[in-house]
Amino acid sequence: MRATTPQTARWRRFGEVLPAALALLAFAAMLAGLEARFSTFHNRTFDLAFYARMAWGLAGYDWWDPLVGAHVLGLHVSPVLVPLGLIGRLTGDPVRVLMVAQSAALAGAGLCLARAGRRWLGAPGAALSVLAVVLHPNALHAGTYEVHPGTMALLPMAYALERLDAGDVRGLVLGCLGVLTCREDLALVTAALGALARRLDRRVAMGLVGFSGAYLALFLFYFFPQHAPETGSFQLHFGTWGDTFGEVFVTWLTEPDTLTAHLTQPRKLSFVPRALLPYALLPLLAPRWWLPAIPTLLIAQLSDFPTTADLDSHYLTPALPPLAMATLAGLHRLTG
């Protein structure tokens, strides 16, 4: 057995510290980018103001959003904004509280996946895991442009993925619950995570899938019809197909030629390959791990909103943890 030299020990310590150092650097860079845009008035959409006002209102038991003139439960269900809004009220600066939270979530997602990367690929894999999340072109833009609860979901999502790989059912469930506190539509992602868990515990897997489906159905068929604004994000994304979710599904079923024409537009056809290219198409070698990315990718494909097919759009961001996880698994398969 080879003796451990002082130089080898130093390299080992460096390999253990490097992922945390990279995550800290990513956190600082993301936050600096957000601050630079915000302080110089370079946010060109209203999402930062939208979620900051929502967080502030929820923390004060105000359920009405004056920016769009609707009840918050008809917009998005994002309980994570309540504690952030409370902190914002205490500090008097809810915008920067959200900016810090999102930057920490992005960096923390990479650090969570680092544990899986270390198991599969050793110390280099741990560092690569952080880079796989924070250096994707989507994260570089979405993480420094505005704030979205869907981006904050990257941290619990990455935790759930890593715990799934480690065989920790309780950790998986906690991660999924964390994802659901960010946005209701991410219930499709937690349902996919539940489907992956069937090898660990079939009852837990069925519970995650069932609870996720019920949670999403509660929003789609109760909160949204009761509280949706006259013109909101649903109309912007799917108004071409109908005024309600039911009408949209009926249109897709009865007008397949129209749907096919939409999905075969060049920008739509190239969307998934463009998302995978920064990962050198390695996720294709581990399709199991990027199953939780499919709902995000599919919704972006189906949406008629112009920017959803852009590589830097925040609509792609929730797909990053499973794509990064699949990249690590694909690399492990190549080198194993």
Side-chain angles (χ1 to χ4, degrees):
M1 183 176 180
R2 181 182 296 181
T4 301
T5 65
Q7 184 177 8
T8 302
R10 283 195 296 270
W11 275 109
R12 182 177 297 171
R13 287 195 296 270
F14 176 74
E16 292 173 352
V17 171
L18 182 58
L22 290 172
L24 183 61
L25 180 62
F27 167 76
M30 296 290 179
L31 186 57
L34 285 169
E35 176 62 33
R37 283 188 179 275
F38 177 64
S39 60
T40 57
F41 306 100
H42 277 77
N43 299 97
R44 297 189 178 184
T45 69
F46 86 129
D47 289 359
L48 180 57
F50 176 73
Y51 287 113
R53 175 59 181 83
M54 188 181 291
W56 180 275
L58 288 171
Y61 304 102
D62 180 4
W63 297 80
W64 184 259
D65 192 296
L67 295 181
V68 294
H71 194 287
V72 293
L73 291 180
L75 303 172
H76 288 296
V77 182
S78 301
V80 70
L81 295 178
V82 176
L84 295 177
L86 287 170
I87 297 172
R89 281 179 174 264
L90 290 173
T91 62
D93 196 346
V95 171
R96 287 185 172 84
V97 169
L98 295 186
M99 288 162 53
V100 170
Q102 176 173 281
S103 301
L106 270 165
L111 204 54
C112 282
L113 293 187
R115 291 187 291 184
R118 190 181 297 277
R119 283 195 295 269
W120 290 344
L121 301 164
L128 182 62
S129 302
V130 179
L131 299 178
V133 175
V134 302
L135 288 187
H136 191 283
N138 179 268
L140 291 172
H141 178 79
T144 59
Y145 186 63
E146 291 209 318
V147 172
H148 300 90
T151 304
M152 297 179 194
L154 266 63
L155 176 56
M157 194 184 302
Y159 178 77
L161 284 162
E162 189 277 327
R163 290 292 83 196
L164 175 64
D165 177 61
D168 179 5
V169 174
R170 180 177 297 179
L172 168 65
V173 172
L174 289 175
C176 288
L177 291 176
V179 172
L180 293 177
T181 66
C182 295
R183 278 182 62 143
E184 80 293 329
D185 52 353
L186 294 178
L188 293 171
V189 175
T190 58
L193 286 166
L196 290 178
R198 67 188 186 279
R199 299 179 184 179
L200 295 179
D201 190 314
R202 292 185 65 87
R203 289 188 301 175
V204 170
M206 293 176 61
L208 279 174
V209 172
F211 181 79
S212 299
Y215 185 71
L216 182 60
L218 179 65
F219 173 79
L220 293 181
F221 302 110
Y222 181 73
F223 290 134
F224 183 79
Q226 292 285 332
H227 303 295
E230 290 185 9
T231 302
S233 59
F234 176 79
Q235 284 74 24
L236 293 175
H237 288 279
F238 303 107
T240 302
W241 317 104
D243 294 328
T244 66
F245 289 102
E247 289 181 8
V248 169
F249 289 131
V250 169
T251 301
W252 288 341
L253 291 173
T254 59
E255 301 180 19
D257 292 343
T258 304
L259 180 60
T260 300
H262 172 77
L263 294 175
T264 54
Q265 297 174 71
R267 292 185 72 252
K268 293 292 186 181
L269 288 174
S270 67
F271 175 63
V272 173
R274 283 186 284 119
L276 296 180
L277 276 175
Y279 292 131
L281 304 181
L282 286 169
L284 296 177
L285 299 177
R288 175 175 181 263
W289 285 110
W290 66 289
L291 175 65
I294 291 178
T296 299
L297 298 174
L298 183 60
I299 290 173
Q301 292 285 70
L302 291 170
S303 171
D304 199 37
F305 194 66
T307 63
T308 49
D310 292 348
L311 189 60
D312 60 2
S313 169
H314 71 272
Y315 299 108
L316 172 62
T317 309
L320 295 186
L323 290 181
M325 189 79 166
T327 299
L328 298 171
L331 190 58
H332 173 66
R333 180 167 295 181
L334 278 180
T335 59

